[in-house]
Amino acid sequence: MDWKTIYDQRTVTAQEAVTHIKSGHRVVVAHACGEPTHILDAMLQNAAAYEDVEIVHMVAMGKCEYCKPEYSRNFRHNTFFVGGGSRDAIADGRGDFTPSFFFEVPRLFEKAMPVDVALVTVTPPDAGGRCSLGVSVDYTLAAVKQAKYVIAQVNSKMPWTNGTSTVSVEDIDCFVPFDAPIIPLQPPKIGPVEEAIGRYCAGLVQDGDTLQLGIGAIPDAVLLFLKEKRDLGIHSEMFSDGVVELVEAGVITNKRKNLHPGKSVAAFLMGTQRLYDYVDNNPDVEMYPVDYVNDPRIIAQMDNMVSINSCVQVDLMGQVASESVGLKQISGVGGQVDFVRGVSMSRGGRSIIAMPSTAAKGSISKIVALLDQGAAVTTSRNDVDYIVTEYGVAHLKGHTLRQRAEALIRIAHPDFRADLCEEFEKRFHCKPVLG
């Protein structure tokens, strides 16, 4: 049977497709901007037919309505990364958080978290009967491979991406043709604090480096100050519109990469239509599963690899909390530790944790004597390399606890340095050298 016949026979409405979801099923949803929004809407409309359906997701960029209290009997959210749509459900006990390094998520689907149903978005098939997963390959490809039943929204607006991003028509059990805009991520607002942090981070980047960038105002601010650099490369769990600008300016060429030279590599993408148009069938961009892109052993193979991530708090020993405020889970580890550890084994590698010096409109210092009670340590003091705030750069790797504390106090907000110095004197029995 040829692929066109298979496709035609398996094409149904969204309402028909979601009847294959049963009570008690574990349903894995494609990541971030790859969400199949039309199928999720149909699933919600069919909520009365379900009890205790576990919705496994990472960054939920859509409406996340299944997390609402009125659906608590029907759905239970289980996430690897708490976002705005799922935060209340986790805090109120209507949802769950599963700690995991990002690169290990696909492996969880093999045994620890077997998948009943995968809900994904794909492009229409090509002449050979293959569909691209577009902007979400990461754990989504593993979900397709491991699921007992795969439901795909076929969306012609999904960009076709190259690399290891395609699945055969034969791998999908149900096709739901429905065109809809790919969920956009609007550029964040960059203020003076972010600009200052971006300038300091850019000072640690050299010509020919390969970059991993997280999400948000700080990574975007870093990109603003890289326009004088040459032959930068991208190997990152994700990238956004700022990378497109630097490619068009001739700054990002990927020429000096010793792994995938000439290619920007990512596991997922989040941005505006400009980004989606740029990556569509672009041979210079390759998408791979996250168990490849974020594998520290792969990252270590690239020379001069630089990772740039953010956090919630750093204590005076250099312990980094990036995912919780005390016991309250507000995000997840994402790819931070994957890259911090991979970069530490890269020849010429540097890892940067960048953050504003304060939170809550300047009322709270993010450099603290002790992490908040219950806070999860995301990046250990043994792994941390550079910490950056708008007040400068603290290089911690290879330095003593006393030296680390001094360096961190120097880049803390001036309003909080006196208290940090008092703690320093209690701990080290001397005054800090801050000059």
Side-chain angles (χ1 to χ4, degrees):
M1 191 184 300
D2 66 22
W3 71 262
K4 292 181 181 179
T5 302
I6 295 172
Y7 182 83
D8 289 342
Q9 290 180 348
R10 298 180 184 180
T11 296
V12 299
T13 66
Q15 289 71 26
E16 291 176 274
V18 298
T19 62
H20 293 279
I21 299 171
K22 305 298 181 184
S23 294
H25 270 176
R26 175 176 288 122
V27 177
V28 175
V29 179
H31 187 214
C33 299
E35 283 185 36
T37 53
H38 181 57
I39 296 172
L40 289 173
D41 286 345
M43 183 186 73
L44 201 74
Q45 291 166 10
N46 199 43
Y50 311 130
E51 287 188 17
D52 297 322
V53 170
E54 181 184 11
I55 306 295
V56 177
H57 209 170
M58 196 159 170
V59 178
M61 290 293 292
K63 294 177 284 187
C64 216
E65 289 183 312
Y66 48 81
C67 283
K68 289 183 176 180
E70 56 263 39
Y71 296 110
S72 59
R73 182 181 67 83
N74 314 105
F75 305 112
R76 188 170 183 87
H77 189 54
N78 183 2
T79 186
F80 305 106
F81 195 103
V82 181
S86 59
R87 200 163 285 143
D88 287 347
I90 305 301
D92 294 343
R94 292 180 284 105
D96 296 301
F97 174 77
T98 298
S100 178
F101 296 125
F102 196 2
F103 89 100
E104 291 185 331
V105 169
R107 188 185 306 170
L108 296 180
F109 296 155
E110 294 176 16
K111 291 184 179 179
M113 300 176 67
V115 184
D116 293 303
V117 180
L119 305 182
V120 303
T121 306
V122 298
T123 64
D126 67 4
R130 297 194 70 82
C131 303
S132 173
L133 291 167
V135 301
S136 175
V137 178
D138 41 64
Y139 66 74
T140 305
L141 181 60
V144 171
K145 290 180 177 180
Q146 298 298 329
K148 297 171 187 171
Y149 200 88
V150 180
I151 302 172
Q153 179 175 329
V154 184
N155 189 349
S156 66
K157 296 184 183 296
M158 175 64 81
W160 183 285
T161 55
N162 297 298
T164 305
S165 65
T166 63
V167 295
S168 170
V169 163
E170 296 177 357
D171 296 328
I172 296 170
D173 298 289
C174 232
F175 295 96
V176 179
F178 190 88
D179 289 347
I182 304 305
I183 298 171
L185 175 70
Q186 297 302 328
K189 183 178 179 181
I190 297 173
V193 170
E194 289 80 14
E195 286 190 7
I197 295 168
R199 188 178 291 108
Y200 280 120
C201 290
L204 297 172
V205 176
Q206 303 166 3
D207 290 351
D209 285 346
T210 296
L211 306 180
Q212 175 255 335
L213 301 162
I215 304 170
I218 290 174
D220 282 14
V222 174
L223 294 171
L224 291 177
F225 296 97
L226 295 178
K227 294 181 179 176
E228 303 304 316
K229 307 294 181 180
R230 294 290 178 267
D231 293 330
L232 298 180
I234 296 293
H235 182 104
S236 183
E237 66 195 64
M238 65 82 63
F239 64 82
S240 195
D241 291 61
V243 165
V244 180
E245 185 174 342
L246 290 187
V247 169
E248 293 174 348
V251 174
I252 292 174
T253 65
N254 295 296
K255 286 181 180 178
R256 301 195 200 177
K257 290 175 69 176
N258 54 317
L259 192 64
H260 302 288
K263 311 291 183 182
S264 292
V265 170
F268 71 101
L269 303 165
M270 301 172 73
T272 67
Q273 192 61 45
R274 181 189 185 192
L275 173 69
Y276 303 149
D277 290 341
Y278 167 73
V279 301
D280 187 27
N281 215 11
N282 186 340
D284 295 332
V285 176
E286 291 185 344
M287 305 287 289
Y288 293 94
V290 74
D291 51 355
Y292 175 81
V293 174
N294 282 37
D295 188 331
R297 294 165 295 188
I298 298 298
I299 297 163
Q301 294 176 34
M302 285 176 288
D303 295 343
N304 303 309
M305 184 76 209
V306 179
S307 69
I308 302 172
N309 292 281
S310 194
C311 70
V312 176
Q313 284 183 321
V314 179
D315 72 11
L316 288 180
M317 295 188 290
Q319 296 186 116
V320 176
S322 302
E323 53 190 298
S324 67
V325 176
L327 287 170
K328 184 177 181 181
Q329 193 73 37
I330 62 167
S331 58
V333 62
Q336 182 174 129
V337 177
D338 299 344
F339 275 90
V340 166
R341 290 185 174 168
V343 162
S344 72
M345 297 181 282
S346 160
R347 184 169 61 182
R350 282 142 280 148
S351 67
I352 301 166
I353 304 291
M355 63 176 187
S357 64
T358 63
K361 299 181 179 180
S363 64
I364 298 172
S365 177
K366 297 184 76 167
I367 294 176
V368 294
L370 298 169
L371 298 180
D372 289 348
Q373 185 175 1
V377 176
T378 305
T379 296
S380 79
R381 64 183 189 175
N382 304 307
D383 291 308
V384 72
D385 193 2
Y386 289 93
I387 303 290
V388 175
T389 73
E390 71 271 29
Y391 291 100
V393 178
H395 189 202
L396 304 189
K397 183 152 282 194
H399 291 83
T400 66
L401 290 176
R402 178 177 55 80
Q403 291 168 331
R404 286 165 176 241
E406 288 174 333
L408 288 165
I409 293 170
R410 290 185 201 111
I411 65 168
H413 192 285
D415 289 352
F416 299 96
R417 289 179 191 169
D419 288 343
L420 292 170
C421 285
E422 184 178 341
E423 174 64 25
F424 180 97
E425 292 179 32
K426 291 178 184 176
R427 197 175 296 185
F428 298 105
H429 311 292
C430 63
K431 291 186 179 296
V433 178
L434 302 181

